[in-house]
Amino acid sequence: MMKRCLIRATGRARPDQLAGLGRVLAKTGARLLDINQSVTFGMLSLEALVALEHDSALEAMLSEAGDNLGLDIQAIAVSADDYHRWSLEASQPRLILTLLAPRLPAGILAEVGGLTAEFGLHVELVHRLSGREPLDGEAPGKGACVECWLRGDDVNLAALHEKALALGAQHGVDIALQEDSIWRRHRRLVCFDMDSTLIKTEVIDELARRHGVGDEVAAVTEQAMRGELDFKQSFRARMSKLEGLDEAVLADIADELPLMDGVERLMANLKRLGYRTVIISGGFTYFARHLQEKLGFDEIHANELVIENGKVTGEVQEPIVDAERKAELLEAIALREGVTLDQVIAVGDGANDLKMLAKAGLGIAYRAKPLVRAQARQAISTLGLDAVLYLIGYRHSDLLD
């Protein structure tokens, strides 16, 4: 009868160790069932699960191999029950939990470990995606990022998301959760909101300020936030306040648009990696086109200002790009490009982005208000926009600076 055995080897890493252990297992006639090896800080950790008929000489051979290879090697018998339990755990869905912040103190790991244990999740792997600066240092250049692979059965994802969001807010750390899938590193289309996502301002507010109607536009915005106006009503009411604005003001604002932190690095890497990038904005094509020329977006969809005789009329061409239109555009572009919605990433900050974020396989609320963060599946608030690359699974070493 075949017996199962876990071979565990640890020690300072050398190039010849895998070959040496492989020769020992081959001599015993062991069947290799599973294997995992990692080297961290120069120390090797290798586990091999094997099945063999006769294990009488195994321990002696492993001891000799350990002496020759500079390894501490153990052979641990594995019962049928343990093997069955491990097999079941390996078949459970994997969750990816990502920690992002300017710095990650050790205490947050204890808190996250407690949270995952509360939901019955096993931590399968912990590794860093950010650069080699200390995680708990003085705000490393691109921030700190650690990724945890979790396994568990019948996890209440909504409850886990809610608690992770609260824990992250308490410590100033973004805690993002997503289900692992084959699409994670094979997404092809990224759709962005513009105002307060790609740029650090709301253009309509800046236009109103330059036109001397900032308070009037703010009052309409407040009505919308109280639920007295829907998006289209609010948008038309604010636009009407801009009647007579000189077109030259638009050019001045476009030249001075403050880019969001990390957007240039994000776009350089998305283009290099072959993603199609799109702006889907409730703002204006005049400014989206400026960003397209500056950053290289493949296409833009926004509201078209009506300008006559060099003056803004206060009207926009139909259809108005509202929440429903954003989601429709995302789906239509994915269909046209021949990609599934699972292969789409959407990034936005406002309530009118939520339908677009929900439609995409990976929907990210960026520096959004609490209500939007709570409803979106993932959120980033502590780092630049290039932290989106960490949620896709890229390491700092994979990326251009």
Side-chain angles (χ1 to χ4, degrees), residues 195 202-204 207 217 220-221 224 229-242 281-285 302-305 314-322 352:
D195 295 46
E202 294 285 330
V203 168
I204 196 168
L207 292 172
V217 167
V220 175
T221 302
L229 299 172
D230 65 21
F231 177 84
K232 287 184 178 180
Q233 291 172 321
S234 159
F235 185 71
R236 289 192 180 98
R238 286 179 289 169
M239 281 301 306
S240 69
K241 306 290 185 185
L242 300 179
S281 171
F284 306 111
T285 55
N303 295 300
E304 190 73 47
L305 285 166
E315 300 289 335
V316 292
Q317 294 180 10
E318 296 286 348
I320 290 174
V321 180
D322 59 3
N352 67 331

Side-chain angles (χ1 to χ4, degrees), residues 26-38:
K27 284 181 182 178
T28 66
R31 289 179 52 215
L32 186 64
L33 303 178
D34 204 349
I35 189 168
N36 182 63
Q37 176 179 312
S38 63

Side-chain angles (χ1 to χ4, degrees), residues 40 99 109 123-128 146-150:
T40 307
L99 300 171
L109 294 179
V123 181
E124 191 176 71
L125 176 71
V126 179
H127 62 163
R128 70 183 293 166
V146 167
E147 183 178 273
C148 307
W149 294 5
L150 311 173

Side-chain angles (χ1 to χ4, degrees), residues 11 70 76 137 247 294 299 310 322 332 356 375 401:
I76 305 166
E247 185 178 3
K294 185 179 182 69
E299 58 184 285
D322 59 3
M356 178 174 76
Q375 293 188 39
D401 279 333

Side-chain angles (χ1 to χ4, degrees), residues 192 197-199 259-269 295 297 384-386:
F192 294 93
T197 300
L198 295 172
I199 56 177
L259 295 179
M260 189 60 73
D261 302 329
V263 67
E264 291 172 294
R265 180 172 182 256
L266 173 62
M267 284 299 297
N269 280 286
L295 299 172
F297 288 94
L385 198 60
D386 50 341

